[in-house]
Amino acid sequence: MKKILITSALPYINGIKHLGNLIGSQLPADVYARYMRATGHVVLYICATDEHGTPAELAAIEDNLTVEKFCENMWNIQKKIADEFYISFDYFGRSSSKHNHELTQHFATKLWENNFLVEVNEKQFFSVQDKRYLPDRYITGTCPSCGYRRARGDQCENCTKQLDPTDLIDPVSTISGSKDLEIRETKHLYLRQSELKNKLDDWISKKNEWPVLTKSIAKKWLHDKDGLKDRGITRDLSWGVKVKKNGKPWEGFEDKVFYVWFDAPIAYIAATKEWSENNSNNEWRKWWLTDEGADQVYYVQFMAKDNIPFHTLSFPATIFGSGENWKLVDYIKGFNWLLYEGGKFSTSEKRGIFMDVALKLFPADYWRWWLLSNAPESADSNFTWDSFQNTINKDLADVFGNFIARVTKFSFSKFGGKIPTNNEFGKLEENTIEEIKKCYDLYNHFLSKIEIRKASQELRNIWVIGNEYLQKAQPWAIFKNDENQTRMIIKFSFNLIYFYSFISEPFIPCACDKIRKHFGFTKISKWPKNLNFFLENITYINDITPPEILFPKITDQEKEVFREKYSGLDL
């Protein structure tokens, strides 16, 4: 048994997230959390909304709300949507919590005391029309590295290069669109990341088990031609964690806040502390402080590739620089982009499917299955309506759903409301178990290694074996001549359904719950290891009826209507 800490990248508070955000962090983290809990490990899955910085301020202005009220409303919306997608957080917090403010200020104080912070007078854009400095996302322009025309002042989302606002070509204010910008001097705190380069390099070099995507991005940023740069950790904003040292306002920084990318990862710790307090214990320290037990914790982070540099360099630099015994991440699962019909999702252009809309169109399990079976692990994935329809109809409807429907309808018509009892399994059943074992071993292996697409393929293979068994056994053909043999076939098939309803839960939890409730299956407390015992020793008590269609097919008409509606072409 292990203690496993899981965090998924904090979703920005500035709006409802699209499907790419879902598969890039929360959804695969949920699969891993569910699997690890089921296999007997102690799991703590933590997340929170990322509420500081420019995106929150701009979104609040657009909605004519105070930023505090906007964030409160959006946290409730994001939490509700996550629940409806069956994301099994142990705690979903907020980066604006008092704990995060206090911890962020604590880390800054320790970094200052250890000489890893320095005050820097820097030049920054000032908008004459807006009468304010324009930090990071308050300014956009052309990326000097790749030429992308809508690069932000902190990072180009196209090539992922970290930027300073003054790096941008042809900059404009995102508040007013004004180009009347002046460069003025302002003072900020900088994290001396360059002083920690060797320590970071040594730490990253030892992570041989990290995915290629994660390690390659970390190494690229670490050994970029410009080297690991020192980064500003304060901003000229009003909304955020106030800059304090030892609990008191930091002289010269009274009107500034900490940079959102400095405080956001610290919110993992803060949210754990809130979870701990809500449960009236001090357990958070055993998860995060290595001298109090966290050295026995296996810590896994999930994120899209644009977040990797901050989690492999900046956050570890903060922890190293603090000089304290904080837990460092053991494994970072990074994901590439999810494209929509060959292009990018766009809120402004109403292009693509966002999480709230997705739930109105089809059940959560439909989206979970397609996204996970097409997870962008080794390369970008492309959502198309053709692929979505084909995957759901073939995998969920024609394979998994069809097997359940055929078995239950036949059983009900021949044996009534009671599931037949006959465990005298023969050679065909033994061979079927052996086939399942091969796929099941791979399924467990891929889940433990967080190889999501490969795991989904093995799960589908296990479903297919059930259908193939039914075709070989042909209970409908032998019923008249051998009712007892037919009872055995149907009993074995129901055992498979029970088995499927448990092992499929990391991917399609809602459907599995429906299956168990419909047939009165007891939810097993432990992940099955001895497959023969699991399949041969299950007894059923409740009367059964054929369930409603578990996975109604997506029609061609639905596909075409939604493809056109969410194409953004009408704008």
Side-chain angles (χ1 to χ4, degrees):
M1 184 180 72
K2 292 181 181 178
K3 287 181 68 176
I4 300 174
L5 175 63
I6 299 171
T7 60
S8 51
L10 310 189
Y12 273 128
I13 199 71
N14 63 325
I16 295 167
K17 306 295 104 179
H18 59 66
L19 296 180
N21 299 120
L22 182 62
I23 189 56
S25 58
Q26 292 181 11
L27 194 49
D30 178 65
V31 171
Y32 184 63
R34 287 175 178 275
Y35 176 70
M36 284 298 160
R37 289 191 195 107
T39 50
H41 302 293
V42 178
V43 172
L44 184 61
Y45 179 16
I46 296 291
C47 192
T49 42
D50 186 358
E51 300 189 9
H52 295 138
T54 313
E57 286 194 331
L58 294 177
I61 291 169
E62 188 174 334
D63 282 9
N64 197 28
L65 293 171
T66 64
V67 68
E68 293 87 351
K69 186 60 179 175
F70 173 82
C71 289
E72 179 186 347
N73 291 348
M74 192 52 66
W75 181 89
N76 284 310
I77 291 171
Q78 290 203 13
K79 178 63 168 65
K80 181 176 181 291
I81 291 174
D83 289 344
E84 290 174 346
F85 270 103
Y86 300 91
I87 307 298
S88 60
F89 298 126
D90 288 293
Y91 190 76
F92 187 64
R94 302 176 62 179
S95 70
S96 61
S97 71
K98 73 179 182 72
H99 288 310
N100 198 43
H101 281 240
E102 292 168 355
L103 277 167
T104 299
Q105 292 158 355
H106 168 81
F107 272 103
T109 299
K110 299 305 292 184
L111 287 165
W112 177 262
E113 291 174 353
N114 294 334
N115 201 33
F116 287 111
L117 284 188
V118 62
E119 295 182 4
V120 174
N121 289 317
E122 66 172 33
K123 297 185 183 300
Q124 192 175 102
F125 282 113
F126 184 90
S127 171
V128 176
Q129 181 174 330
D130 301 317
K131 298 179 181 178
R132 62 174 297 166
Y133 285 100
L134 299 177
D136 50 81
R137 297 194 182 193
Y138 275 91
I139 190 165
T140 59
T142 300
C143 175
S145 179
C146 70
Y148 181 61
R149 293 186 178 182
R150 295 194 299 276
R152 305 187 307 248
D154 60 344
Q155 183 181 16
C156 175
E157 65 176 15
N158 185 58
C159 69
T160 76
K161 184 176 179 63
Q162 268 190 332
L163 300 169
D164 286 313
T166 52
D167 294 333
L168 294 173
I169 301 167
D170 298 325
V172 299
S173 165
T174 57
I175 302 172
S176 60
S178 173
K179 295 183 179 180
D180 186 8
L181 309 178
E182 298 176 355
I183 294 180
R184 297 185 182 181
E185 193 170 90
T186 182
K187 183 168 65 173
H188 286 291
L189 289 171
Y190 269 62
L191 175 60
R192 302 177 68 192
Q193 294 184 140
S194 59
E195 295 296 312
L196 292 158
K197 180 177 180 179
N198 291 339
K199 193 158 191 170
L200 288 165
D201 195 7
D202 181 61
W203 175 66
I204 292 169
S205 295
K206 293 175 181 177
K207 299 298 182 181
N208 296 321
E209 74 281 7
W210 280 9
V212 173
L213 177 66
T214 301
K215 196 160 185 177
S216 62
I217 290 176
K219 285 286 189 179
K220 178 178 181 293
W221 280 56
L222 193 63
H223 299 292
D224 185 81
K225 63 179 180 179
D226 297 324
L228 184 66
K229 290 184 177 181
D230 296 344
R231 293 288 294 171
I233 65 164
T234 55
R235 289 292 185 267
D236 290 293
L237 298 171
S238 58
W239 171 245
V241 178
K242 296 298 182 183
V243 182
K244 292 184 178 182
K245 180 171 55 179
N246 291 317
K248 298 177 181 179
W250 202 309
E251 187 177 349
F253 296 87
E254 293 86 354
D255 296 328
K256 302 178 192 290
V257 299
F258 284 109
Y259 181 26
V260 63
W261 265 111
F262 180 67
D263 84 78
I266 296 170
Y268 297 139
I269 306 173
T272 309
K273 192 173 183 180
E274 292 162 35
W275 161 83
S276 189
E277 286 192 0
N278 287 350
N279 288 280
S280 301
N281 60 49
N282 210 27
E283 288 291 311
W284 75 274
R285 302 178 69 85
K286 297 178 181 179
W287 290 94
W288 281 104
L289 292 167
T290 57
D291 56 345
E292 297 194 31
D295 57 328
Q296 300 301 312
V297 171
Y298 186 68
Y299 179 21
V300 185
Q301 295 174 345
F302 289 80
M303 67 198 65
K305 61 185 177 183
D306 58 329
N307 288 331
I308 290 174
F310 295 100
H311 287 76
T312 55
L313 301 176
S314 298
F315 187 34
T318 298
I319 290 176
F320 282 134
S322 74
E324 297 179 319
N325 298 316
W326 296 101
K327 174 67 183 175
L328 285 158
V329 66
D330 293 295
Y331 190 85
I332 298 178
K333 178 67 176 182
F335 289 86
N336 290 284
W337 303 131
L338 176 69
L339 304 177
Y340 181 81
E341 294 281 1
K344 289 188 175 182
F345 286 80
S346 173
T347 305
S348 60
E349 297 175 7
K350 297 181 180 178
R351 188 172 194 278
I353 303 297
F354 289 72
M355 289 170 67
D356 59 334
V357 172
L359 291 165
K360 295 175 183 176
L361 302 182
F362 295 103
D365 280 349
Y366 281 37
W367 301 106
R368 286 180 65 106
W369 180 252
W370 188 91
L371 290 167
L372 291 164
S373 60
N374 292 274
E377 291 173 298
S378 58
D380 292 346
S381 293
N382 184 33
F383 176 91
T384 69
W385 282 101
D386 286 334
S387 173
F388 185 64
Q389 181 193 36
N390 289 336
T391 299
I392 300 307
N393 289 357
K394 289 181 179 179
D395 294 356
L396 296 187
D398 289 344
V399 179
F400 189 27
N402 183 55
F403 176 69
I404 295 171
R406 292 171 72 191
V407 171
T408 53
K409 286 179 181 177
F410 179 83
S411 180
F412 189 72
S413 67
K414 303 301 182 185
F415 306 115
K418 294 293 184 184
I419 292 176
T421 56
N422 185 349
N423 286 341
E424 298 173 357
F425 301 143
K427 190 66 177 176
L428 178 58
E429 288 68 39
E430 291 173 3
N431 290 341
T432 300
I433 289 174
E434 289 304 312
E435 284 186 65
I436 289 175
K437 275 184 178 178
K438 294 174 185 177
C439 296
Y440 188 54
D441 287 344
L442 288 171
Y443 180 55
N444 281 283
H445 170 75
F446 291 136
L447 282 176
S448 66
K449 297 299 182 182
I450 323 180
E451 296 189 49
I452 303 296
R453 288 182 73 153
K454 290 179 180 179
S456 71
Q457 184 58 54
E458 293 306 325
L459 179 58
R460 187 187 188 278
N461 290 340
I462 293 170
W463 297 341
V464 168
I465 291 170
N467 282 277
E468 291 175 343
Y469 165 75
L470 211 57
Q471 283 300 112
K472 293 173 184 175
Q474 297 191 352
W476 51 86
I478 66 172
F479 176 72
K480 287 184 179 180
N481 297 324
D482 196 339
E483 184 175 325
N484 193 49
Q485 175 76 358
T486 306
R487 287 178 180 275
M488 182 274 293
I489 294 168
I490 296 304
K491 172 65 191 307
F492 183 77
S493 298
F494 269 108
N495 287 2
L496 287 181
I497 293 172
Y498 197 170
F499 177 62
Y500 292 171
S501 75
F502 191 78
I503 67 165
S504 307
E505 187 166 313
F507 286 85
I508 48 173
C510 182
C512 291
D513 188 56
K514 283 182 179 178
I515 293 167
R516 287 193 298 268
K517 286 180 178 177
H518 181 83
F519 294 117
F521 295 162
T522 302
K523 186 172 181 179
I524 304 158
S525 59
K526 290 184 179 180
W527 193 258
K529 292 182 179 179
N530 187 327
L531 203 54
N532 293 75
F533 178 84
F534 184 88
L535 292 175
E536 293 173 9
N537 292 275
I538 298 172
T539 57
Y540 305 98
I541 300 173
N542 292 17
D543 287 356
I544 62 118
T545 57
E548 295 180 3
I549 296 175
L550 271 174
F551 306 106
K553 288 191 172 184
I554 299 172
T555 66
D556 289 341
Q557 182 180 5
E558 287 175 314
K559 177 186 69 174
E560 294 305 326
V561 167
F562 296 145
R563 193 205 316 262
E564 182 176 355
K565 185 173 183 179
Y566 300 107
S567 66
L569 298 177
D570 58 328
L571 298 180

